[in-house]
Amino acid sequence: MFTKLSSSLVLMLVLSVSTFAQDIKSHGVTFPAKMKINEKVVKYNGSGLREKYFIDLYVAALYVQAQSSDAKKITNADEEMCIRLKIVSNKVTRDKFVETVKEGFKTSTTGKATDSEIESFMKIFSKPFKSGDDIILIYKPGTGVQVVMNGDNLGTQKGLEFKKALWGIWFGDKPVDSGLKNAMLGKV
């Protein structure tokens, strides 16, 4: 009896450690090591902190099918992937986020997003933001970029070219934050 109990305890300990080991901590935020999109597994590639004027705004993680530090390859890939943003400051409001993303589209050096696509995408963000929010930008081939916030599906913007332009905000030649770009590409 004692042996069975000991074996059970050891098994539970191993399972809990292996489950815990799958989480990745970055700047105080925990990300899963893997996620599923369209029944395909995407893996954590890297993450970093977005700061502005010495204020921590969000921690972003990139998930891809095969780990890579090639920004152009990731941006242009027509395969399942996502960017996961965890808001870490109440300074990140919905209005400021929308304004910043719109500015990012202007400087994005990849893909093509029309004004109407950008406006349609920005309308997806109708809920107020607060510290602790979890926003996932999920790219699904043939579908587009789906936005999930705190587990709720907010909507989808179609098109690979739109995805390329959106990803270009973080991974283009003029990224919103070059340190964040390198961190998400696993270069730091």
Side-chain angles (χ1 to χ4, degrees):
M1 180 69 164
F2 180 73
T3 306
K4 284 183 181 181
L5 181 60
S6 296
S7 296
S8 296
L9 288 173
V10 169
L11 179 61
M12 286 179 10
L13 179 62
V14 169
L15 289 175
S16 66
V17 168
S18 65
T19 301
F20 178 73
Q22 292 179 3
D23 288 339
I24 297 161
K25 263 216 181 255
S26 175
H27 301 279
V29 173
T30 302
F31 293 102
K34 297 176 183 176
M35 295 173 57
K36 251 188 177 177
I37 303 171
N38 285 346
E39 299 305 315
K40 301 232 174 143
V41 174
V42 292
K43 300 170 202 113
Y44 174 90
N45 195 74
S47 62
L49 177 66
R50 171 71 171 120
E51 296 174 294
K52 192 170 184 179
Y53 308 120
F54 305 104
I55 298 171
D56 297 348
L57 301 176
Y58 61 81
V59 181
L62 172 66
Y63 288 82
V64 292
Q65 289 182 33
Q67 290 185 320
S68 175
S69 60
D70 186 334
K72 284 185 179 20
K73 180 181 173 186
I74 289 168
T75 301
N76 292 317
D78 189 17
E79 61 187 41
E80 288 80 0
M81 64 179 63
C82 72
I83 297 173
R84 191 166 191 164
L85 308 169
K86 298 262 190 151
I87 308 297
V88 296
S89 171
N90 283 324
K91 301 264 185 220
V92 180
T93 65
R94 179 214 164 272
D95 292 339
K96 286 182 183 175
F97 181 82
V98 166
E99 179 184 319
T100 302
V101 172
K102 281 183 179 179
E103 288 172 13
F105 276 115
K106 290 177 187 173
T107 60
S108 180
T109 56
T110 59
K112 176 76 175 115
T114 66
D115 289 342
S116 63
E117 287 173 332
I118 294 169
E119 284 305 314
S120 175
F121 183 68
M122 295 295 94
K123 287 179 183 173
I124 290 174
F125 297 97
S126 59
K127 295 182 175 187
F129 285 23
K130 65 185 176 322
S131 182
D133 282 345
D134 182 27
I135 301 165
I136 311 173
L137 307 172
I138 303 167
Y139 178 69
K140 298 178 179 180
T143 301
V145 177
Q146 176 185 11
V147 178
V148 175
M149 183 172 176
N150 300 326
D152 295 330
N153 179 10
L154 300 185
T156 301
Q157 182 61 51
K158 295 182 179 180
L160 175 59
E161 289 303 310
F162 178 83
K163 174 259 186 181
K164 290 178 185 180
L166 180 62
W167 259 235
I169 294 171
W170 289 277
F171 303 111
D173 294 334
K174 298 176 185 175
V176 68
D177 182 318
S178 58
L180 177 59
K181 172 184 175 178
N182 288 333
M184 291 171 71
L185 292 172
K187 292 183 176 182
V188 292

